[in-house]
């Protein structure tokens, strides 16, 4: 019989001592039951990545890795606080040679532990990426809901492709992790990078809960920064907007010239008005246009320095060699 796949959970933790024991209990229970059901192998584990916590998070992780049931857990201690995205990537890259698939999940139990099984099923059905998507935002406040949904819409408008209402709860196969390792960029925005990789994917819907304990490590300030990161790491559309604005201003200046002629001919013009207004719009337009053109080149340089793979081969069909 074929050996079941090895699944690794990757859970970033930053000052999560308040929730970690419960997270370990729930995730440990889930993984153990999936092992019992023969869906995943006995080598499967939960990896907690300590992202430079200043509380007792690492002590808790170390205890989990030493205590009873230690074969279910492993821990990675980052030397300093690298941020959520970097912590997730550190976890994924550390375990990628040990697993057939990895699921990333936050430590605060907002993501549904039960959805893990659906993700594993979707993976067994041949999907290389399974996105966890929130089915509703009932538990979010009106403000959080509006800002979060606005975030996805704005991203799309700005040219960054993301899966609507999907954060960082997802399953990735070993093959996807291998491809992810070829993205050497340091401005990380995983939910934009994974769709770039491609391969067969599907979505699993779940209800997002409230944080089990502790406080959010993502205040509005960090969220705005993250949104800006997502746009500027994936899209040069803002630069294109400048170029278009420049064009528009030059067009307006042409309109202004026509308008100035019209008022002159009908005898309504003030002395010196036309030349001043026309030059303001014209010079402004030319300057903005030039900025936009420089921006376009910067956009190209930016794309080059990212050194992203230009393509990813999913399959190579090649018949038998001639004898
Ligand atoms: N996190 C991290 N490093 C940080 C900030 C957060 O590893 O610098 C982790 C945190 O422990 C949690 C996850 O990222 O597991 C998501 O953070 P949080 O739940 O506070 O964000 P929210 O759900 O409020 O957006
Ligand atoms: Mg959270």
């Amino acid at each position: 019989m074929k050996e079941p796949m090895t699944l690794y959970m990757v859970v970033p933790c930053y000052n999560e001592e308040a929730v970690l024991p419960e997270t370990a209990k729930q995730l440990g229970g889930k993984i153990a039951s999936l092992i019992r059901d023969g869906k995943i192998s006995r080598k499967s584990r939960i990896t907690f990545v300590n992202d430079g916590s200043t509380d007792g998070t690492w002590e808790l992780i170390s205890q989990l890795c030493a205590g009873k049931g230690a074969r279910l857990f492993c821990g990675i201690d980052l030397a300093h606080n690298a941020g959520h995205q970097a912590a997730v990537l550190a976890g994924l890259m550390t375990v990628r040679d040990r697993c057939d698939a990895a699921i990333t999940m936050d430590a605060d139990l907002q993501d549904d532990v039960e959805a893990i099984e659906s993700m594993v099923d979707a993976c067994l059905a041949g999907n290389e990426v399974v996105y966890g998507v929130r089915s509703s935002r009932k538990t979010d406040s009106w403000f959080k809901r509006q800002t979060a949904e606005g975030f996805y819409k704005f991203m799309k408008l700005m040219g960054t492709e993301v899966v609507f209402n999907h954060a960082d709860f997802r399953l990735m196969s070993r093959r996807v992790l291998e491809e992810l390792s070829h993205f050497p960029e340091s401005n990380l925005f995983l939910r934009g990078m994974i769709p770039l990789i491609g391969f067969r994917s599907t979505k699993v819907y779940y209800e997002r809960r409230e944080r089990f304990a502790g406080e959010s490590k993502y205040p509005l300030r960090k969220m705005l920064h993250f949104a800006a990161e997502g746009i500027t790491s994936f899209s040069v559309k803002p630069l294109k907007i400048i170029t278009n604005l420049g064009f528009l201003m030059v067009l307006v200046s042409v309109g202004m010239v026509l308008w100035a002629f019209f008022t002159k001919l009908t005898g309504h013009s003030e002395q010196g008005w036309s030349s001043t207004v026309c030059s303001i719009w014209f010079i402004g337009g030319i300057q903005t246009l030039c900025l936009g053109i420089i921006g376009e080149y910067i956009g190209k340089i930016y794309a080059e320095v990212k050194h992203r793979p230009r393509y990813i081969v999913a399959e190579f069909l090649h018949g038998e060699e001639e004898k």
Side-chain angles (χ1 to χ4, degrees):
M1 207 184 87
K2 205 176 140 247
E3 168 84 350
M5 69 169 186
T6 301
L7 175 77
Y8 266 65
M9 300 286 307
V10 171
V11 184
C13 306
Y14 176 59
N15 293 345
E16 298 286 11
E17 63 179 4
V19 293
L20 210 59
E22 182 63 24
T23 310
K25 196 170 126 214
Q26 291 197 18
L27 282 182
K30 190 77 220 165
I31 295 301
S33 91
L34 288 174
I35 293 176
R36 271 198 307 277
D37 294 347
K39 284 200 175 168
I40 57 176
S41 83
R42 306 188 71 80
K43 286 184 269 171
S44 304
R45 277 173 193 251
I46 300 149
T47 313
F48 289 111
V49 184
N50 177 36
D51 186 16
S53 301
T54 49
D55 65 358
T57 300
W58 181 242
E59 284 66 36
L60 282 175
I61 297 173
S62 318
Q63 282 164 21
L64 284 169
C65 296
K68 176 162 107 358
R71 59 170 188 80
L72 273 181
F73 299 103
C74 50
I76 299 168
D77 188 24
L78 298 186
H80 65 102
N81 178 244
H84 173 225
Q85 298 287 296
V88 170
L89 190 71
L92 290 174
M93 291 302 116
T94 311
V95 303
R96 88 182 148 97
D97 292 333
R98 298 169 185 269
C99 64
D100 299 309
I103 296 181
T104 54
M105 189 180 180
D106 289 351
D108 56 6
L109 295 173
Q110 285 195 280
D111 303 325
D112 188 4
V113 175
E114 296 308 316
I116 294 172
E117 186 158 358
S118 320
M119 287 184 167
V120 170
D121 289 340
C123 179
L124 292 173
N127 290 289
E128 308 266 353
V129 182
V130 187
Y131 297 105
V133 175
R134 278 164 231 185
S135 54
S136 76
R137 285 183 175 270
K138 269 189 258 152
T139 52
D140 283 350
S141 67
W142 182 87
F143 179 75
K144 175 87 188 182
R145 188 159 63 231
Q146 295 305 319
T147 45
E149 293 193 341
F151 167 85
Y152 291 98
K153 290 181 185 146
F154 187 61
M155 293 297 261
K156 205 170 171 102
L157 196 73
M158 284 291 148
T160 303
E161 280 303 324
V162 285
V163 177
F164 191 69
N165 267 344
H166 156 74
D168 282 304
F169 183 30
R170 76 176 81 78
L171 176 146
M172 286 154 285
S173 68
R174 184 185 185 136
R175 193 176 185 202
V176 171
L177 297 179
E178 167 71 28
E179 296 302 342
L180 183 63
S181 71
H182 298 144
F183 283 67
E185 58 208 72
S186 35
N187 305 113
L188 293 172
F189 188 69
L190 290 165
R191 62 187 91 168
M193 289 159 77
I194 307 298
L196 270 189
I197 295 177
F199 293 122
R200 202 172 133 189
S201 68
T202 188
K203 293 171 194 157
V204 159
Y205 293 87
Y206 71 99
E207 292 268 337
R208 188 157 158 106
R209 308 220 176 88
E210 299 209 32
R211 190 174 237 286
F212 182 79
E215 275 168 19
S216 169
K217 314 294 179 295
Y218 264 99
L220 187 65
R221 180 180 51 84
K222 264 200 192 172
M223 250 171 58
L224 289 175
H225 176 79
F226 190 53
E229 183 88 352
I231 294 165
T232 52
S233 297
F234 281 84
S235 165
V236 287
K237 211 158 177 178
L239 299 175
K240 293 213 184 313
I241 292 175
I242 300 180
T243 318
N244 293 342
L245 192 70
F247 265 121
L248 196 74
M249 286 170 78
V250 172
L251 276 183
V252 171
S253 84
V254 173
M256 282 292 187
V257 171
L258 295 177
W259 174 245
F261 265 118
F262 177 73
T263 47
K264 185 103 191 149
L265 290 177
T266 50
H268 294 305
S269 70
E270 289 286 335
Q271 191 68 32
W273 175 85
S274 332
S275 53
T276 317
V277 164
C278 292
S279 0
I280 288 174
W281 276 93
F282 187 68
I283 294 171
I286 291 289
Q287 277 180 342
T288 315
L289 190 61
C290 291
L291 264 184
I293 293 171
I294 295 172
E296 300 277 333
Y297 283 96
I298 293 180
K300 295 247 147 63
I301 297 169
Y302 189 51
E304 293 291 341
V305 297
K306 282 213 173 250
H307 277 294
R308 279 183 184 154
R310 278 161 291 186
Y311 53 82
I312 292 166
V313 178
E315 223 168 317
F316 177 38
L317 291 181
H318 186 281
E320 290 276 307
E321 292 287 346
E322 292 272 325
K323 288 263 157 65

